[in-house]
Amino acid sequence: MSLQPALFLSAHRVRLSGPVDFDGWRRAARNLTLSGVDPADVDWVLGEANPPDPAPEPTGELRVPREFIELSQTVICHSDPERFALLHRVLTRLQKKPELLRIASDKDVVRLREMEKSVRRDIHKMRAFVRFRAVGDYFVAWFEPAHFIVERNTNFFVRRFSGMNWTILTPYRSATWDGKELTFGPGACADDVPAEDAAEDLWLTYYKNIFNPARLKVKAMQAEMPKKYWRNLPEAALIPDLIAGAEDAAREMLRNMPTLPAPHHKTVQARHWTKPEGGPINTEEAASLADLRELAATCRRCPLWQDATQTVFGEGLPNATVMFVGEQPGDQEDIAGKPFVGPAGRVFDETIQEAGIDRSLTYVTNAVKHFKFEPRGKRRIHQKPNAGEVTACRWWLDHELSFVKPQLAVALGATAALSLLGQSVAITKVRGQVVQREDGLRVFLTIHPSFILRIPDPANQQAERSRFLDDMRKVKELIAAIGSGSRADR
Ligand code: URA
């Protein structure tokens, strides 16, 4: 970019070729300072520069700290018309007070620093908020900077978008990159840029997806993206709805998010792995449910123990009337070492409570005692146990049944039904029914609570919750018919 030289007019009127004519300002300020002109007597104006002044330039040396040159290159981009005079005044004062820029309380220095900060912030905002729109194979963006920063900022865009042909339009200047050369032209208006392009939907979808409701801090967001920029940001139209829905979305996200293995995962795992295997487990050694639980901690009956954090054994009242049987521990249960404490556990707890069943008077366990999952990135995604794994683990469930001796078992889902009945059943066809086993144990069949969580439509999800609640009310009636909720009398 070539800048026209500045020119002295009349006594102390200086005409600069444009709002960021730094070379022109520097030459004039140097000459004025060497000539001892009072900065208050100088009038700085913008416009076409006149031919150079034929008068010889004053000679002499000025003290100009490097820091001042850098500061003035930034401050000259500020929109305050007083910037030229202020810089001239500080240059003059520096001649007598070289440490001036170090005096943080000095009024001129304070103002210079404020202006510097504001320009830097504007530069940063332009980098963050310029949005190109495609016009054929060409890209155009409209941006309204607070200061005269286009010339200073465009090298950033050249580096970042060097493979595209683009123009950035602003009210006072345009910058064009044709793949080889950067040129500057006059300002423009917002209507010169198409309102939207074919890629806009894609960008909005992307923005919606990267918006993290759990991280939303409205004040910080507004400070980072002040409203004055919104009118030129296509994604701004989405922001009010995203903010309004953020709390619900964050709750939903948490509900559905598998947790990462806890930091102590490896330690817990190592503790179980280093236990001697000691051949087949002899349940004769188990005189109580507590003994059985301890033996299960070293279970190697199928390969699932290898990746799980720990065995998640059943827990609850040791002589409960009712035993709830789920499928297998989930991500959170694997870490906590307790059944039904994750998202499905919350649905389970809420529903049985509403049905009037006290969880502490029941026994809750799973058909399979180790978490089966597939690692996907940092996540552990639940995998359904296969028939072999269910059969291997049925051994433990049978022993739990023989210790607890419940009068009613509730199969939560198909895997539990398979384990309790020894055959596959279609849960949707048999839900709500009671099947009596040969040993006399009655098994109530219903869905698994995680089935409810997987229903995407809120109305359908609610309907399924009500059906599950109806099932749990039937279970409550069955318990009542049996007698007391706990069989402490046995
Ligand atoms: N799903 C189950 O079947 N059991 C649990 O413990 C947790 C989720």
Side-chain angles (χ1 to χ4, degrees), residues 326-330 333 339-340 344 366 448:
E327 181 194 73
Q328 61 160 346
E333 287 79 11
F340 281 102
N366 282 300
H448 192 284

Side-chain angles (χ1 to χ4, degrees), residues 173-190:
R173 181 77 77 241
S174 63
T176 298
W177 171 251
D178 65 3
K180 290 193 199 85
E181 201 189 352
L182 179 65
T183 49
F184 294 93
C189 61

Side-chain angles (χ1 to χ4, degrees), residues 10 48 104 111 121 156 195-196 211 221 230-231 233 248 255 259 307 315 345 347-348 380 396 411 418 425 435 465 487:
S10 65
E48 280 294 308
R111 179 66 187 138
R121 184 174 155 82
F156 166 85
E196 59 181 59
F211 179 84
M221 183 179 179
W230 286 27
R231 63 174 177 271
L233 294 176
D248 286 349
R255 224 184 349 251
T259 52
D307 294 327
E315 63 174 29
V347 175
F348 173 70
R380 304 187 302 166
W396 290 110
L418 171 65
V425 292
V435 176
R465 265 184 191 255
R487 296 185 315 171

Side-chain angles (χ1 to χ4, degrees), residues 264-314:
H264 66 272
H265 170 93
K266 286 266 172 300
T267 325
V268 177
Q269 206 180 44
R271 199 160 61 226
H272 295 299
W273 284 13
T274 52
K275 285 208 174 166
E277 292 191 20
I281 292 168
N282 179 6
T283 47
E284 307 272 292
E285 292 171 13
S288 67
L289 204 52
D291 291 349
L292 194 68
R293 160 192 288 274
E294 202 172 308
L295 289 171
T298 58
C299 179
R300 307 287 189 266
R301 293 183 61 82
C302 79
L304 291 185
W305 63 273
Q306 294 176 38
D307 294 327
T309 305
Q310 56 192 315
T311 304
V312 178
F313 205 65

Side-chain angles (χ1 to χ4, degrees), residues 312-313 325-334 338-345 359 364-368 382 412 415-416 448-450:
V312 178
F313 205 65
V325 183
E327 181 194 73
Q328 61 160 346
D331 182 87
Q332 296 189 22
E333 287 79 11
D334 169 76
K338 290 167 172 296
F340 281 102
V341 293
R359 179 168 170 168
V364 179
T365 191
N366 282 300
V368 172
H382 162 275
L412 299 165
T415 304
H448 192 284
S450 67

